[in-house]
Amino acid sequence: MRLSHLLAALGRPVWLHHLVSFRAISKTTAAFVRPISLATKLPYSVIPPPTFGAFSYLDIFNCKYISNVLVSTASMSTKTRPTRAGAKRTFTTDEDSPPTRTTKKTKKSTNKKSSTKINDNSSTTSDGPWYTVFTKGDEQYTDYMKNEWGFEKRGDEAMFEKLSLEGAQAGLSWLTILRKREAYRTTFFNFDVDKVAAMTSQDVQDILATPNSVYTRNVVVKHRGKVEAVINNAKCIQQLRQEAKDSVKKRLDRSENFHGVFDEYLWSFVDNRPIVNGYWDGKNLSDCPSTSQESDAMSKALRKKGFKFVGATTCYSMMQAIGMVIDHPVDSPEYIEALKRLEQRPMGYQMRQDEKNSDP
């Protein structure tokens, strides 16, 4: 009988058999299979748990460890479990692992109208800031929304980092990427354009080959397309700089610094003046815009120049994060503070009262 059939008979997820290392259990196959077969007829509790390697099959069925790799846990804690010999072993769970599988199904967050993956019908009504509905008390996320999101950022490296992280978020939650931000900075040389552009296919392979045992916050999202996109986009930024240099070729007597070209290029899509959206009341997060005429134009232009993972939604999320667009609910404390900052800005800002009207 196939192991998957036995797992199914026990009512356990069939996909577990794909993760079991048969090398690890090949020497104890008899001790492993026989109790599972018996379990189809006898109560689960009376089957003595045989062990193999460091873990017993009870650990596998409780979704704790598979081939010495943590699969899922309930919370970050240290626990003990008796072995067959009566001794106790200690294991530590990983706070970034998904919660233990339960029978209750929860609705997945599918909001496409915001850079945060949250329910379209969620209300921002709460005792704290409007964004607590999706930060849910997470300290790092809350600090990011309070002190970074919507604040103006400038410089090629800052723009490159933000575009890369927003591209990496595609299909994932922003909290996942935020927790990996330091890993991205380490892996991609703090987003130094020239150093990243010099990375090779071997560097990509090394990133993708990072062992699963490495703490999840210390490794970037292992998606080949997203990793290669960061390197590709760095080369595109270099090309932008070269184009700017060629455009002033006649002025050979001047020393030009072209390391702000990418920053100026992106900010040119809003005429170097942040846009304040003064029409979102914050009652429903689904009403928060996910794209704009500017983000559509930016996405189209970047793609034409060879950039990857720069869809209109990704561009708009970046624009929100770096202060190109202010999308705090009107009259909220965050909205009022943003206006105070912008009033001190030498080049001013744009006020947009109608979602369909792009005129300031």
Side-chain angles (χ1 to χ4, degrees):
M1 182 180 290
R2 293 174 60 84
L3 179 57
S4 60
H5 296 163
L6 295 173
L7 291 170
L10 286 172
R12 299 293 177 173
V14 176
W15 52 263
L16 283 177
H17 82 277
H18 291 295
L19 300 178
V20 177
S21 173
F22 289 97
R23 289 184 179 180
I25 67 172
S26 59
K27 295 182 181 180
T28 55
T29 301
F32 179 70
V33 176
R34 184 171 178 272
I36 299 179
S37 299
L38 292 175
T40 61
K41 297 181 180 180
L42 298 177
Y44 179 81
S45 60
V46 302
I47 305 300
T51 60
F52 54 94
F55 311 105
S56 72
Y57 85 96
L58 278 177
D59 291 314
I60 291 179
F61 281 358
N62 286 329
C63 301
K64 295 296 181 184
Y65 290 86
I66 300 246
S67 302
N68 297 356
V69 177
L70 186 61
V71 174
S72 63
T73 61
S75 61
M76 185 172 182
S77 60
T78 301
K79 304 178 181 180
T80 59
R81 186 190 302 280
T83 64
R84 290 186 70 185
K88 291 186 177 181
R89 61 175 177 274
T90 302
F91 62 89
T92 303
T93 63
D94 186 342
E95 62 178 294
D96 274 352
S97 299
T100 304
R101 187 185 183 92
T102 60
T103 56
K104 183 179 180 180
K105 295 183 179 180
T106 57
K107 184 176 180 180
K108 293 184 178 180
S109 299
T110 57
N111 179 30
K112 295 183 180 180
K113 291 267 187 172
S114 172
S115 60
T116 53
K117 307 296 183 181
I118 43 185
N119 192 308
D120 282 350
N121 297 320
S122 297
S123 171
T124 59
T125 302
S126 64
D127 295 332
W130 68 271
Y131 46 77
T132 56
V133 68
F134 53 83
T135 59
K136 299 185 183 303
D138 183 90
E139 184 176 350
Q140 185 178 12
Y141 203 171
T142 300
D143 181 72
Y144 170 79
M145 291 298 299
K146 179 180 179 180
N147 300 310
E148 294 187 52
W149 194 81
F151 287 76
E152 184 171 340
K153 297 177 181 61
R154 303 302 297 255
D156 280 4
E157 283 69 27
M159 299 298 102
F160 181 34
E161 174 182 321
K162 202 60 190 161
L163 187 65
S164 300
L165 295 180
E166 293 294 348
Q169 185 197 348
L172 303 171
S173 70
W174 174 245
L175 181 57
T176 297
I177 303 303
L178 183 61
R179 287 175 171 173
K180 293 175 176 289
R181 182 164 63 174
E182 290 305 317
Y184 272 91
R185 289 172 175 171
T186 300
T187 301
F188 294 110
F189 307 101
N190 285 319
F191 291 94
D192 183 294
V193 174
D194 295 327
K195 291 181 179 180
V196 175
M199 294 177 71
T200 65
S201 57
Q202 184 58 53
D203 293 315
V204 175
Q205 192 57 40
D206 291 343
I207 293 172
L208 299 178
T210 305
N212 290 331
S213 57
V214 175
Y215 184 44
T216 183
R217 294 195 185 191
N218 294 336
V219 61
V220 303
V221 175
K222 292 192 290 184
H223 182 289
R224 180 177 293 275
K226 292 179 179 179
V227 173
E228 291 178 341
V230 177
I231 301 173
N232 171 80
N233 293 347
K235 295 177 180 178
C236 290
I237 296 174
Q238 284 186 325
Q239 184 60 34
L240 277 175
R241 291 174 175 174
Q242 185 60 44
E243 291 174 1
K245 185 176 182 179
D246 292 341
S247 69
V248 294
K249 187 182 299 184
K250 295 181 180 179
R251 293 177 289 175
L252 298 178
D253 58 325
R254 294 185 60 185
S255 175
E256 300 287 349
N257 180 7
F258 298 98
H259 284 257
V261 170
F262 186 53
D263 169 272
E264 293 178 0
Y265 179 73
L266 292 181
W267 275 89
S268 69
F269 287 94
V270 294
D271 195 26
N272 219 0
R273 295 185 299 157
I275 298 173
V276 179
N277 285 328
Y279 53 83
W280 183 48
D281 58 13
K283 292 181 179 179
N284 290 307
L285 291 169
S286 60
D287 294 333
C288 184
S290 62
T291 61
S292 67
Q293 295 180 15
E294 291 80 10
S295 71
D296 290 343
M298 181 187 293
S299 174
K300 184 177 180 180
L302 289 174
R303 286 177 172 178
K304 188 175 181 179
K305 291 185 176 294
F307 285 79
K308 297 180 179 179
F309 280 87
V310 287
T313 301
T314 295
C315 288
Y316 192 79
S317 295
M318 179 192 68
M319 293 169 70
Q320 290 175 311
I322 65 176
M324 277 189 190
V325 176
I326 303 300
D327 270 332
H328 291 297
V330 176
D331 294 332
S332 66
E334 295 77 19
Y335 179 87
I336 295 173
E337 286 298 320
L339 283 181
K340 289 180 179 179
R341 293 196 304 270
L342 293 176
E343 287 171 356
Q344 304 300 318
R345 192 174 186 273
M347 297 188 68
Y349 63 96
Q350 309 174 56
M351 177 63 73
R352 187 164 298 173
Q353 300 293 348
D354 185 353
E355 182 177 3
K356 297 181 180 180
N357 181 13
S358 60
D359 295 331

